[in-house]
Amino acid sequence: MSTRLVLCLCVLAFGAGGFGVWRLLAQDDVAAPETGGAESRRSRTAVLYENGAAAESAPASRPVEGEAPPESVAPQPGSVRGRVVDRGGIPLPAAKVRARLHTPPGERSYALVSAYDVEREADAEGRFAFDVPGGGVYRFSAESEGFAPSFKDSVRPGDDIELILDVGAVLVATLVDKTTGKPVAAADFTLRSTAGGFVKKRRSEADGRVEIRDLPAGAAVVAADHADYVPRTGVETTFEVGAVTTLSVELDPGKSIKGQVLSADEQRPIEGAVVAVGKKKVATDAAGRFTVKGLAPQSHGVQTTAEGFLANERQISLAGTRQFAESEIYLDRGATVKGRVINERGEGVAGAELKLFESWGNRVGEESMWEDWSSRHLKAKTGEDGAFRIAGIMPQEWSQRTLRVRHPDYADAFERAMKIAKKEDEVYVLVTMRVGGAISGRVTDDQARPISGARVELRINNLWEHGSNDDDEPWVEKNLRVAGTDADGAFSFVGLSEGKYNLRVEAKGWSTGFKGDLALQKGARLEAVHVTLEKGEPLVGYVVDGDEKPLAAVNVHVSTKNGWAAALTDAEGTFRIETIPKGPYDVSASKTGYASVQLRKQMPSGDRGLRIVVKRQGVLSGKVIDAATKQPIREAWLTLEKEEPRWGNQMRQWAYASVDKTGAFKLQAETARYRLSCHSQGYVRFRKEDVAVDPDKPDQEPLVVELKRGGAIEGFVRGPDGKPDSATTVYWRRDEPNARYQHAANSEMDGYFFCGDLDAGNYEVLFQRPGLPTIVQNGVFVGGDKPAQVDVQLRGETSLSLAIVYLEAPKSPDGERLTSNEGAPAQPRNPAPRRPPRPRVWVESLSGAPLSLDWQNPSGGEEGFVASPKRWVWMGNAAQPRTLLRDLPVGRYLV
């Protein structure tokens, strides 16, 4: 081979290599390939500061031929690659790697999907790769037998990560009965690690034992739940690498609610009715009886549902000394909706899911639809012939029902404006399911150049549906569809039902785009929906206090009608946002120890940009503890109140806070003197006057709030016939001058009532029952470990009949008129009223018996009810001059 030929081959090789490198760089610059190029992308990212964190994003728009490409920062799909290794760097093959869309709090999601949750196994070298949708922020986790799991948050497309697994810890827990000490089997045991949201669930064995291996080191919280015991939560423990931790968890049998569910019309037992108390649910037996066990000593909401009957909800208190409560629950029959679901060919659609919504409005897309608790349980599926039946619907005169039908092969169908006014109503509907419609369009900049990778959200108008909110998973919005634009900026949604839709488009570095009230008919296609995004621009600013001193670590949120961004100020009080749509700007700034600032329609001025001034506020910190044990109270609420002259010197709440798990709290308010209040269930309400909050005294001693265990008053109310009364309202007040009554409780089905959280002393208890005289029980002493017992029997009704003789209304003499100074037409001296006047009469008890309760809210004093021996009443008209006053005790009265 000649030398010349060799030189030619070398030149060609170098040329081909150079061309390949140039092409790779060009592809990386424009298309951001899934493999490789991570470092080059990271070096060219535009930055949008969100909550103080710089957010990376890759270029996305494809250039239009003949024009320079726009400087787009819209998100692109990408690949997340990595390895799973142990502490020594040895790969862990077959490790399970999970990737979830998990946007950190305070950060926006630009993901091109509404949800992403994928699990894969690492290869023989411990490597893994996920092609994740662009714009998302992801949480990665890895697990392998014999190791504790590893977590990594804030992972973005294009990142290369390493998950390091360490030797796991072991937990051996034993669940025992608090009263008997016997093991508790078949209890659901849950462990939540504070590291990465790690959750493990187990069920206790016959000996009450639970063993969980491969736990990460650090703090964790365990919980135990059993149908016959009070749920145990908040048990804290810690783990060390490779160590075994033992734990004993006591479960309290608690109290129970038992009773019977009957039909209101026939008073027959209802079998299979579901009685729910919180998360505990039981079904009634053939006799309609039920028992819900393991309830805490407090007031509980009891919901009862049964097929064909209206839902029932009531409160039952277990806060007193009784260990169980009995209740008869009567259910009324409801209305019925039945019918058939067919397709466009007239064939029955089997397996379609039906759900009822309460709705207002008549026209498509303009009515509001939301779930009602009374009908949330009413769900049905169609049979093989498409037939369905939903019974037990609550009739409503003032609103209507909408039936939604959902099937994976068809678009959602809505049968609207069903009026159900009576419980005897039976409505028949025929629902036709059709192939869905479509909405499509393009997203461009203001020069008609496409923006790819933009997040497009589509929602149907005014549909309020409760989303699933599992403790282990983030809340997912049900009424949401998400798509991403392609290289031409195009997007498309298919399988849509009839209605009106709202469209929202977001892309990093661009404004937010909106399209509202997109009306879509059944099976139609709505095309050429054009959304234009405005390019963002840099924004700078600074934050100072009242003395013009710069403030660091201030949260600054800036928004316009087209988008928003957030940042943290640096040590010099300045902040910078790289891309934000053009102003004017709505600005908010917040920092602990300073009053929050809300500014509207701001524009930057000078080289320093936006100027934000925040004023200092005082911070009152402290701790809430049990007065006897000196242990922190984990559930307590505190308020700061002071008189407000603009509100007639009424007390106004200025600050509110709850304690953390250590009992600590912080209350922030402007310089003033306040009333501090603190309350917690089972404790006497704490109140301290003249508490100073002063920002000039930041080093003041933390306040210690000691709460005393509260006493209680309990008892039973019986009617004149000696049977339990369930319609009596109970009030209490301290036996002191000027003390006001406080509403405590209502008597329950068995007549039981409970007034809790009372300080030691003497009290008055007032019982008010419509149709019967009010009764006051004096000299009730509260103190000691047990509640004071007050049983009362209501007396029979007394009535007083009043009559008044109506006089004929005075008339002016014929021809007698008044003449005005301006010569206006004369008017009768005493024009006859259109109707006879209705006198108002008051009745006063000469013995001082209470006839009415009046609410009073004095300035700086104690608000509450005041019993009055007087009662006002309007008399009847001339046709019925006699008025009957009821609910009066026997005695002498002044009218």
Side-chain angles (χ1 to χ4, degrees):
M1 184 179 295
S2 67
T3 305
R4 182 175 297 179
L5 181 60
V6 173
L7 290 175
C8 290
L9 291 175
C10 291
V11 170
L12 289 174
F14 279 109
F19 177 79
V21 171
W22 173 84
R23 184 175 182 181
L24 179 61
L25 291 176
Q27 287 179 344
D28 185 49
D29 186 57
V30 175
E34 296 182 359
T35 59
E39 292 301 324
S40 61
R41 277 199 305 272
R42 189 171 291 112
S43 65
R44 291 179 290 98
T45 54
V47 180
L48 173 64
Y49 286 89
E50 297 183 354
N51 293 330
E56 296 178 355
S57 55
S61 296
R62 192 180 71 176
V64 178
E65 188 173 342
E67 295 184 7
E71 296 179 1
S72 171
V73 286
Q76 275 287 319
S79 177
V80 175
R81 300 176 179 273
R83 285 202 318 158
V84 182
V85 298
D86 65 8
R87 224 6 120 174
I90 300 176
L92 296 175
K96 294 182 179 179
V97 183
R98 183 184 182 188
R100 284 194 302 160
L101 181 65
H102 185 82
T103 305
E107 214 176 310
R108 298 173 75 183
S109 174
Y110 292 92
L112 307 184
V113 293
S114 58
Y116 182 87
D117 192 341
V118 178
E119 185 176 272
R120 292 176 183 157
E121 283 191 359
D123 62 15
E125 297 180 355
R127 297 187 178 278
F128 60 86
F130 288 81
D131 293 326
V132 297
V137 181
Y138 298 87
R139 166 180 288 174
F140 274 73
S141 62
E143 296 184 31
S144 183
E145 186 175 356
F147 294 89
S150 177
F151 303 89
K152 191 171 186 62
D153 285 325
S154 300
V155 179
R156 302 176 186 273
D159 286 353
D160 196 340
I161 64 175
E162 188 175 59
L163 298 172
I164 302 175
L165 303 189
D166 210 339
V167 179
V170 179
L171 171 66
V172 178
T174 305
L175 309 184
V176 297
D177 188 298
K178 182 179 179 180
T179 57
T180 65
K182 295 182 178 179
V184 178
D188 294 323
F189 186 85
T190 304
L191 182 144
R192 299 179 186 277
S193 173
T194 56
F198 175 73
V199 178
K200 283 290 185 181
K201 296 184 178 181
R202 296 287 188 273
R203 177 158 287 194
S204 61
E205 304 293 339
D207 57 355
R209 190 172 181 270
V210 174
E211 182 176 323
I212 304 179
R213 295 183 171 272
D214 304 338
L215 296 175
V221 178
V222 301
D225 193 12
H226 191 281
D228 296 340
Y229 293 87
V230 178
R232 184 73 186 277
T233 60
V235 181
E236 298 180 359
T237 185
T238 56
F239 304 109
E240 296 181 0
V241 177
V244 178
T245 301
T246 59
L247 185 66
S248 179
V249 180
E250 293 182 334
L251 297 181
D252 187 355
K255 302 182 179 184
S256 59
I257 296 176
K258 48 181 74 172
Q260 189 177 23
V261 180
L262 306 169
S263 60
D265 50 0
E266 300 174 343
Q267 296 191 2
R268 292 185 177 180
I270 300 177
E271 183 180 4
V274 177
V275 182
V277 182
K279 292 184 178 181
K280 293 180 179 290
K281 295 182 180 180
V282 297
T284 56
D285 58 16
R289 297 194 176 277
F290 68 90
T291 301
V292 184
K293 299 180 180 179
L295 300 177
Q298 63 188 38
S299 181
H300 296 274
V302 181
Q303 292 185 356
T304 307
T305 58
E307 184 178 358
F309 294 87
L310 302 182
N312 178 280
E313 186 175 28
R314 65 182 58 194
Q315 288 290 127
I316 296 180
S317 177
L318 294 174
T321 58
R322 62 176 181 173
Q323 291 299 308
F324 65 89
E326 289 195 69
S327 180
E328 285 187 346
I329 301 175
Y330 292 91
L331 300 184
D332 293 312
R333 296 186 187 274
T336 302
V337 173
K338 64 180 182 180
R340 191 162 176 257
V341 179
I342 60 175
N343 58 24
E344 294 176 292
R345 297 186 297 275
E347 303 167 339
V349 178
E353 298 180 351
L354 299 100
K355 192 173 185 179
L356 275 174
F357 292 84
E358 187 177 357
S359 58
W360 297 79
N362 296 317
R363 291 193 291 179
V364 172
E366 295 185 1
E367 77 281 8
S368 295
M369 296 177 287
W370 63 87
E371 288 183 290
D372 182 22
W373 77 267
S374 63
S375 59
R376 196 177 304 162
H377 65 287
L378 298 178
K379 301 177 183 179
K381 278 192 175 184
T382 56
E384 291 297 327
D385 60 348
F388 68 90
R389 182 176 183 272
I390 302 177
I393 304 170
M394 178 177 290
Q396 292 180 345
E397 292 278 358
W398 56 89
S399 67
Q400 57 200 11
R401 301 287 176 171
T402 294
L403 181 67
R404 185 186 68 187
V405 187
R406 177 169 286 177
H407 192 279
D409 297 336
Y410 302 91
D412 291 356
F414 292 91
E415 189 66 26
R416 295 174 167 85
M418 292 184 295
K419 197 71 174 181
I420 302 175
K422 300 179 181 179
K423 63 181 181 181
E424 297 83 10
D425 289 348
E426 187 172 279
V427 180
Y428 182 87
V429 294
L430 180 65
V431 183
T432 302
M433 303 199 74
R434 295 177 169 84
V435 176
I439 295 178
S440 60
R442 293 181 73 236
V443 179
T444 66
D445 63 9
D446 53 3
Q447 298 183 25
R449 296 177 297 188
I451 299 177
S452 66
R455 175 185 171 96
V456 185
E457 298 179 353
L458 186 70
R459 294 176 175 85
I460 192 170
N461 276 4
N462 304 330
L463 177 61
W464 303 96
E465 185 176 6
H466 294 268
S468 58
N469 192 5
D470 194 338
D471 292 336
D472 302 338
E473 299 292 339
W475 186 82
V476 177
E477 185 179 351
K478 289 187 174 181
N479 182 30
L480 172 66
R481 292 179 180 232
V482 178
T485 57
D486 61 16
D488 294 323
F491 65 88
S492 177
F493 295 93
V494 297
L496 302 179
S497 59
E498 179 188 20
K500 280 193 175 182
Y501 290 85
N502 288 331
L503 196 72
R504 177 186 178 98
V505 182
E506 289 186 337
K508 283 189 176 181
W510 301 85
S511 62
T512 303
F514 298 95
K515 286 287 184 180
D517 294 335
L518 299 174
L520 185 67
Q521 302 300 322
K522 292 182 178 180
R525 296 185 64 86
L526 187 60
E527 300 175 334
V529 177
H530 186 209
V531 183
T532 302
L533 303 187
E534 179 185 331
K535 191 70 173 68
E537 61 182 14
L539 175 67
V540 296
Y542 63 102
V543 182
V544 295
D545 63 9
D547 298 328
E548 293 296 325
K549 296 180 180 179
L551 291 177
V554 179
N555 288 295
V556 180
H557 186 281
V558 181
S559 63
T560 72
K561 64 179 181 180
N562 292 324
W564 65 270
L568 277 177
T569 57
D570 58 19
E572 297 178 354
T574 62
F575 64 89
R576 179 179 177 86
I577 297 172
E578 293 296 337
T579 53
I580 183 74
K582 295 179 181 179
Y585 305 97
D586 293 338
V587 182
S588 65
S590 62
K591 177 180 173 66
T592 302
Y594 293 84
S596 298
V597 173
Q598 303 287 337
L599 302 175
R600 301 272 297 173
K601 307 299 181 184
Q602 300 295 302
M603 288 297 291
S605 60
D607 296 336
R608 301 190 65 186
L610 284 177
R611 177 178 178 269
I612 306 172
V613 181
V614 295
K615 295 181 179 180
R616 293 185 60 192
Q617 283 191 336
V619 177
L620 180 68
S621 61
K623 196 171 188 178
V624 181
I625 63 174
D626 186 296
T629 64
K630 307 302 180 183
Q631 295 297 313
I633 298 175
R634 298 186 178 185
E635 292 187 359
W637 297 264
L638 302 99
T639 58
L640 285 177
E641 300 171 299
K642 73 181 182 72
E643 292 184 7
E644 176 53 58
R646 292 175 297 178
W647 292 9
N649 289 330
Q650 297 292 329
M651 299 297 292
R652 178 190 173 191
Q653 178 177 308
W654 281 88
Y656 172 85
S658 59
V659 298
D660 60 17
K661 63 181 181 181
T662 65
F665 67 88
K666 284 186 177 181
L667 290 163
Q668 180 174 314
E670 64 182 24
T671 303
R673 307 193 80 86
Y674 297 87
R675 172 198 291 171
L676 175 67
S677 300
C678 178
H679 69 277
S680 180
Q681 186 173 1
Y683 292 88
V684 178
R685 189 180 187 93
F686 173 90
R687 178 175 289 178
K688 185 176 182 179
E689 304 287 348
D690 202 29
V691 176
V693 176
D694 190 350
D696 294 328
K697 298 179 180 179
D699 299 329
Q700 58 184 352
E701 289 292 328
L703 184 65
V704 178
V705 177
E706 296 188 359
L707 299 185
K708 297 187 299 182
R709 284 284 180 180
I713 302 172
E714 67 176 2
F716 290 88
V717 181
R718 299 187 180 277
D721 57 359
K723 296 181 179 180
D725 185 84
S726 61
T728 299
T729 306
V730 184
Y731 301 84
W732 61 263
R733 75 167 185 173
R734 299 265 321 201
D735 194 0
E736 297 174 351
N738 302 322
R740 286 167 170 76
Y741 284 101
Q742 308 296 324
H743 174 239
N746 297 323
S747 59
E748 298 175 7
M749 290 295 296
D750 56 357
Y752 178 79
F753 72 92
F754 179 84
C755 312
D757 304 346
L758 304 179
D759 201 357
N762 290 314
Y763 288 83
E764 287 182 357
V765 186
L766 185 146
F767 302 87
Q768 190 179 54
R769 206 278 195 207
L772 296 175
T774 299
I775 294 179
V776 176
Q777 185 75 33
N778 297 308
V780 179
F781 176 75
V782 174
D785 297 332
K786 293 184 178 180
Q789 188 75 26
V790 177
D791 296 331
V792 65
Q793 183 167 356
L794 303 176
R795 295 190 293 269
E797 180 185 63
T798 300
S799 62
L800 173 64
S801 181
L802 298 178
I804 185 169
V805 177
Y806 279 81
L807 301 176
E808 185 178 1
K811 296 181 180 179
S812 61
D814 290 340
E816 183 178 356
R817 294 179 178 274
L818 297 176
T819 304
S820 65
N821 295 333
E822 290 82 9
Q827 299 293 333
R829 183 189 302 272
N830 294 309
R834 294 184 179 179
R835 61 182 179 181
R838 295 181 61 192
R840 191 173 68 156
V841 180
W842 59 268
V843 179
E844 181 178 357
S845 172
L846 296 180
S847 62
L851 302 183
S852 64
L853 285 176
D854 302 321
W855 174 262
Q856 291 188 5
N857 185 14
S859 173
E862 181 183 17
E863 60 183 15
F865 294 92
V866 176
S868 173
K870 298 180 181 180
R871 182 176 173 186
W872 294 91
V873 63
W874 287 98
M875 297 299 295
N877 53 32
Q880 297 178 345
R882 185 176 300 277
T883 296
L884 188 65
L885 288 179
R886 299 180 181 274
D887 312 345
L888 300 178
V890 176
R892 298 175 63 245
Y893 293 89
L894 179 64
V895 180

